[in-house]
mmCIF file with all atom_site columns, all heavy atoms in Angstrom:
data_model
loop_
_atom_site.group_PDB
_atom_site.id
_atom_site.type_symbol
_atom_site.label_atom_id
_atom_site.label_alt_id
_atom_site.label_comp_id
_atom_site.label_asym_id
_atom_site.label_entity_id
_atom_site.label_seq_id
_atom_site.pdbx_PDB_ins_code
_atom_site.Cartn_x
_atom_site.Cartn_y
_atom_site.Cartn_z
_atom_site.occupancy
_atom_site.B_iso_or_equiv
_atom_site.pdbx_formal_charge
_atom_site.auth_seq_id
_atom_site.auth_comp_id
_atom_site.auth_asym_id
_atom_site.auth_atom_id
_atom_site.pdbx_PDB_model_num
ATOM 1   N N   . TYR J 1 26 ? -4.704  30.488 -13.762 1.00 0.00 ? 36 TYR J N   1
ATOM 2   C CA  . TYR J 1 26 ? -5.145  29.702 -14.913 1.00 0.00 ? 36 TYR J CA  1
ATOM 3   C C   . TYR J 1 26 ? -3.966  29.043 -15.611 1.00 0.00 ? 36 TYR J C   1
ATOM 4   O O   . TYR J 1 26 ? -4.100  27.950 -16.184 1.00 0.00 ? 36 TYR J O   1
ATOM 5   C CB  . TYR J 1 26 ? -5.923  30.593 -15.882 1.00 0.00 ? 36 TYR J CB  1
ATOM 6   C CG  . TYR J 1 26 ? -7.257  31.064 -15.320 1.00 0.00 ? 36 TYR J CG  1
ATOM 7   C CD1 . TYR J 1 26 ? -7.757  32.324 -15.617 1.00 0.00 ? 36 TYR J CD1 1
ATOM 8   C CD2 . TYR J 1 26 ? -8.002  30.241 -14.474 1.00 0.00 ? 36 TYR J CD2 1
ATOM 9   C CE1 . TYR J 1 26 ? -8.984  32.758 -15.106 1.00 0.00 ? 36 TYR J CE1 1
ATOM 10  C CE2 . TYR J 1 26 ? -9.220  30.665 -13.957 1.00 0.00 ? 36 TYR J CE2 1
ATOM 11  C CZ  . TYR J 1 26 ? -9.701  31.915 -14.269 1.00 0.00 ? 36 TYR J CZ  1
ATOM 12  O OH  . TYR J 1 26 ? -10.901 32.328 -13.757 1.00 0.00 ? 36 TYR J OH  1
ATOM 13  N N   . GLU J 1 27 ? -2.808  29.681 -15.580 1.00 0.00 ? 37 GLU J N   1
ATOM 14  C CA  . GLU J 1 27 ? -1.613  29.045 -16.132 1.00 0.00 ? 37 GLU J CA  1
ATOM 15  C C   . GLU J 1 27 ? -1.284  27.783 -15.343 1.00 0.00 ? 37 GLU J C   1
ATOM 16  O O   . GLU J 1 27 ? -0.905  26.748 -15.927 1.00 0.00 ? 37 GLU J O   1
ATOM 17  C CB  . GLU J 1 27 ? -0.437  30.020 -16.077 1.00 0.00 ? 37 GLU J CB  1
ATOM 18  C CG  . GLU J 1 27 ? -0.599  31.238 -16.987 1.00 0.00 ? 37 GLU J CG  1
ATOM 19  C CD  . GLU J 1 27 ? 0.407   32.338 -16.701 1.00 0.00 ? 37 GLU J CD  1
ATOM 20  O OE1 . GLU J 1 27 ? 1.253   32.154 -15.812 1.00 0.00 ? 37 GLU J OE1 1
ATOM 21  O OE2 . GLU J 1 27 ? 0.342   33.389 -17.361 1.00 0.00 ? 37 GLU J OE2 1
ATOM 22  N N   . LEU J 1 28 ? -1.431  27.841 -14.022 1.00 0.00 ? 38 LEU J N   1
ATOM 23  C CA  . LEU J 1 28 ? -1.141  26.690 -13.183 1.00 0.00 ? 38 LEU J CA  1
ATOM 24  C C   . LEU J 1 28 ? -2.168  25.584 -13.396 1.00 0.00 ? 38 LEU J C   1
ATOM 25  O O   . LEU J 1 28 ? -1.832  24.391 -13.350 1.00 0.00 ? 38 LEU J O   1
ATOM 26  C CB  . LEU J 1 28 ? -1.109  27.096 -11.708 1.00 0.00 ? 38 LEU J CB  1
ATOM 27  C CG  . LEU J 1 28 ? -0.038  28.114 -11.313 1.00 0.00 ? 38 LEU J CG  1
ATOM 28  C CD1 . LEU J 1 28 ? -0.014  28.300 -9.801  1.00 0.00 ? 38 LEU J CD1 1
ATOM 29  C CD2 . LEU J 1 28 ? 1.321   27.675 -11.815 1.00 0.00 ? 38 LEU J CD2 1
ATOM 30  N N   . ILE J 1 29 ? -3.414  25.957 -13.604 1.00 0.00 ? 39 ILE J N   1
ATOM 31  C CA  . ILE J 1 29 ? -4.439  24.945 -13.888 1.00 0.00 ? 39 ILE J CA  1
ATOM 32  C C   . ILE J 1 29 ? -4.113  24.233 -15.190 1.00 0.00 ? 39 ILE J C   1
ATOM 33  O O   . ILE J 1 29 ? -4.242  23.010 -15.302 1.00 0.00 ? 39 ILE J O   1
ATOM 34  C CB  . ILE J 1 29 ? -5.829  25.592 -13.937 1.00 0.00 ? 39 ILE J CB  1
ATOM 35  C CG1 . ILE J 1 29 ? -6.282  25.986 -12.521 1.00 0.00 ? 39 ILE J CG1 1
ATOM 36  C CG2 . ILE J 1 29 ? -6.853  24.653 -14.568 1.00 0.00 ? 39 ILE J CG2 1
ATOM 37  C CD1 . ILE J 1 29 ? -7.585  26.758 -12.461 1.00 0.00 ? 39 ILE J CD1 1
ATOM 38  N N   . SER J 1 30 ? -3.661  24.995 -16.196 1.00 0.00 ? 40 SER J N   1
ATOM 39  C CA  . SER J 1 30 ? -3.275  24.397 -17.475 1.00 0.00 ? 40 SER J CA  1
ATOM 40  C C   . SER J 1 30 ? -2.132  23.401 -17.285 1.00 0.00 ? 40 SER J C   1
ATOM 41  O O   . SER J 1 30 ? -2.140  22.299 -17.854 1.00 0.00 ? 40 SER J O   1
ATOM 42  C CB  . SER J 1 30 ? -2.851  25.482 -18.466 1.00 0.00 ? 40 SER J CB  1
ATOM 43  O OG  . SER J 1 30 ? -3.905  26.393 -18.714 1.00 0.00 ? 40 SER J OG  1
ATOM 44  N N   . GLU J 1 31 ? -1.142  23.776 -16.470 1.00 0.00 ? 41 GLU J N   1
ATOM 45  C CA  . GLU J 1 31 ? -0.017  22.875 -16.226 1.00 0.00 ? 41 GLU J CA  1
ATOM 46  C C   . GLU J 1 31 ? -0.443  21.687 -15.383 1.00 0.00 ? 41 GLU J C   1
ATOM 47  O O   . GLU J 1 31 ? 0.033   20.563 -15.590 1.00 0.00 ? 41 GLU J O   1
ATOM 48  C CB  . GLU J 1 31 ? 1.112   23.637 -15.522 1.00 0.00 ? 41 GLU J CB  1
ATOM 49  C CG  . GLU J 1 31 ? 2.414   22.852 -15.405 1.00 0.00 ? 41 GLU J CG  1
ATOM 50  C CD  . GLU J 1 31 ? 3.070   22.547 -16.738 1.00 0.00 ? 41 GLU J CD  1
ATOM 51  O OE1 . GLU J 1 31 ? 2.703   23.205 -17.750 1.00 0.00 ? 41 GLU J OE1 1
ATOM 52  O OE2 . GLU J 1 31 ? 3.943   21.669 -16.771 1.00 0.00 ? 41 GLU J OE2 1
ATOM 53  N N   . ALA J 1 32 ? -1.353  21.907 -14.439 1.00 0.00 ? 42 ALA J N   1
ATOM 54  C CA  . ALA J 1 32 ? -1.852  20.812 -13.604 1.00 0.00 ? 42 ALA J CA  1
ATOM 55  C C   . ALA J 1 32 ? -2.553  19.752 -14.459 1.00 0.00 ? 42 ALA J C   1
ATOM 56  O O   . ALA J 1 32 ? -2.464  18.553 -14.159 1.00 0.00 ? 42 ALA J O   1
ATOM 57  C CB  . ALA J 1 32 ? -2.797  21.347 -12.537 1.00 0.00 ? 42 ALA J CB  1
ATOM 58  N N   . ARG J 1 33 ? -3.199  20.176 -15.504 1.00 0.00 ? 43 ARG J N   1
ATOM 59  C CA  . ARG J 1 33 ? -3.856  19.214 -16.399 1.00 0.00 ? 43 ARG J CA  1
ATOM 60  C C   . ARG J 1 33 ? -2.812  18.292 -17.046 1.00 0.00 ? 43 ARG J C   1
ATOM 61  O O   . ARG J 1 33 ? -3.041  17.102 -17.243 1.00 0.00 ? 43 ARG J O   1
ATOM 62  C CB  . ARG J 1 33 ? -4.650  19.943 -17.481 1.00 0.00 ? 43 ARG J CB  1
ATOM 63  C CG  . ARG J 1 33 ? -5.870  20.695 -16.965 1.00 0.00 ? 43 ARG J CG  1
ATOM 64  C CD  . ARG J 1 33 ? -7.085  20.438 -17.852 1.00 0.00 ? 43 ARG J CD  1
ATOM 65  N NE  . ARG J 1 33 ? -7.444  19.030 -17.879 1.00 0.00 ? 43 ARG J NE  1
ATOM 66  C CZ  . ARG J 1 33 ? -8.154  18.409 -16.947 1.00 0.00 ? 43 ARG J CZ  1
ATOM 67  N NH1 . ARG J 1 33 ? -8.581  19.073 -15.883 1.00 0.00 ? 43 ARG J NH1 1
ATOM 68  N NH2 . ARG J 1 33 ? -8.438  17.131 -17.055 1.00 0.00 ? 43 ARG J NH2 1
ATOM 69  N N   . LYS J 1 34 ? -1.656  18.865 -17.390 1.00 0.00 ? 44 LYS J N   1
ATOM 70  C CA  . LYS J 1 34 ? -0.588  18.041 -17.974 1.00 0.00 ? 44 LYS J CA  1
ATOM 71  C C   . LYS J 1 34 ? -0.040  17.056 -16.950 1.00 0.00 ? 44 LYS J C   1
ATOM 72  O O   . LYS J 1 34 ? 0.285   15.910 -17.285 1.00 0.00 ? 44 LYS J O   1
ATOM 73  C CB  . LYS J 1 34 ? 0.533   18.939 -18.491 1.00 0.00 ? 44 LYS J CB  1
ATOM 74  C CG  . LYS J 1 34 ? 0.123   19.884 -19.613 1.00 0.00 ? 44 LYS J CG  1
ATOM 75  C CD  . LYS J 1 34 ? 1.285   20.775 -20.042 1.00 0.00 ? 44 LYS J CD  1
ATOM 76  C CE  . LYS J 1 34 ? 0.874   21.771 -21.101 1.00 0.00 ? 44 LYS J CE  1
ATOM 77  N NZ  . LYS J 1 34 ? 2.001   22.656 -21.499 1.00 0.00 ? 44 LYS J NZ  1
ATOM 78  N N   . LEU J 1 35 ? 0.061   17.501 -15.703 1.00 0.00 ? 45 LEU J N   1
ATOM 79  C CA  . LEU J 1 35 ? 0.580   16.623 -14.657 1.00 0.00 ? 45 LEU J CA  1
ATOM 80  C C   . LEU J 1 35 ? -0.330  15.423 -14.451 1.00 0.00 ? 45 LEU J C   1
ATOM 81  O O   . LEU J 1 35 ? 0.137   14.282 -14.391 1.00 0.00 ? 45 LEU J O   1
ATOM 82  C CB  . LEU J 1 35 ? 0.726   17.395 -13.341 1.00 0.00 ? 45 LEU J CB  1
ATOM 83  C CG  . LEU J 1 35 ? 1.754   18.531 -13.308 1.00 0.00 ? 45 LEU J CG  1
ATOM 84  C CD1 . LEU J 1 35 ? 1.712   19.248 -11.966 1.00 0.00 ? 45 LEU J CD1 1
ATOM 85  C CD2 . LEU J 1 35 ? 3.168   17.995 -13.559 1.00 0.00 ? 45 LEU J CD2 1
ATOM 86  N N   . VAL J 1 36 ? -1.623  15.652 -14.319 1.00 0.00 ? 46 VAL J N   1
ATOM 87  C CA  . VAL J 1 36 ? -2.550  14.527 -14.069 1.00 0.00 ? 46 VAL J CA  1
ATOM 88  C C   . VAL J 1 36 ? -2.656  13.642 -15.305 1.00 0.00 ? 46 VAL J C   1
ATOM 89  O O   . VAL J 1 36 ? -2.871  12.424 -15.193 1.00 0.00 ? 46 VAL J O   1
ATOM 90  C CB  . VAL J 1 36 ? -3.940  15.032 -13.619 1.00 0.00 ? 46 VAL J CB  1
ATOM 91  C CG1 . VAL J 1 36 ? -3.835  15.836 -12.325 1.00 0.00 ? 46 VAL J CG1 1
ATOM 92  C CG2 . VAL J 1 36 ? -4.620  15.847 -14.698 1.00 0.00 ? 46 VAL J CG2 1
ATOM 93  N N   . ALA J 1 37 ? -2.497  14.233 -16.495 1.00 0.00 ? 47 ALA J N   1
ATOM 94  C CA  . ALA J 1 37 ? -2.560  13.435 -17.726 1.00 0.00 ? 47 ALA J CA  1
ATOM 95  C C   . ALA J 1 37 ? -1.378  12.495 -17.849 1.00 0.00 ? 47 ALA J C   1
ATOM 96  O O   . ALA J 1 37 ? -1.451  11.456 -18.523 1.00 0.00 ? 47 ALA J O   1
ATOM 97  C CB  . ALA J 1 37 ? -2.627  14.356 -18.943 1.00 0.00 ? 47 ALA J CB  1
ATOM 98  N N   . SER J 1 38 ? -0.246  12.826 -17.186 1.00 0.00 ? 48 SER J N   1
ATOM 99  C CA  . SER J 1 38 ? 0.946   11.981 -17.265 1.00 0.00 ? 48 SER J CA  1
ATOM 100 C C   . SER J 1 38 ? 0.824   10.724 -16.394 1.00 0.00 ? 48 SER J C   1
ATOM 101 O O   . SER J 1 38 ? 1.610   9.792  -16.541 1.00 0.00 ? 48 SER J O   1
ATOM 102 C CB  . SER J 1 38 ? 2.190   12.785 -16.865 1.00 0.00 ? 48 SER J CB  1
ATOM 103 O OG  . SER J 1 38 ? 2.160   13.119 -15.493 1.00 0.00 ? 48 SER J OG  1
#
Side-chain angles (χ1 to χ4, degrees):
Y36 292 145
E37 294 167 1
L38 298 187
I39 288 174
S40 300
E41 189 65 17
R43 292 225 61 81
K44 297 178 183 179
L45 295 176
V46 300
S48 68

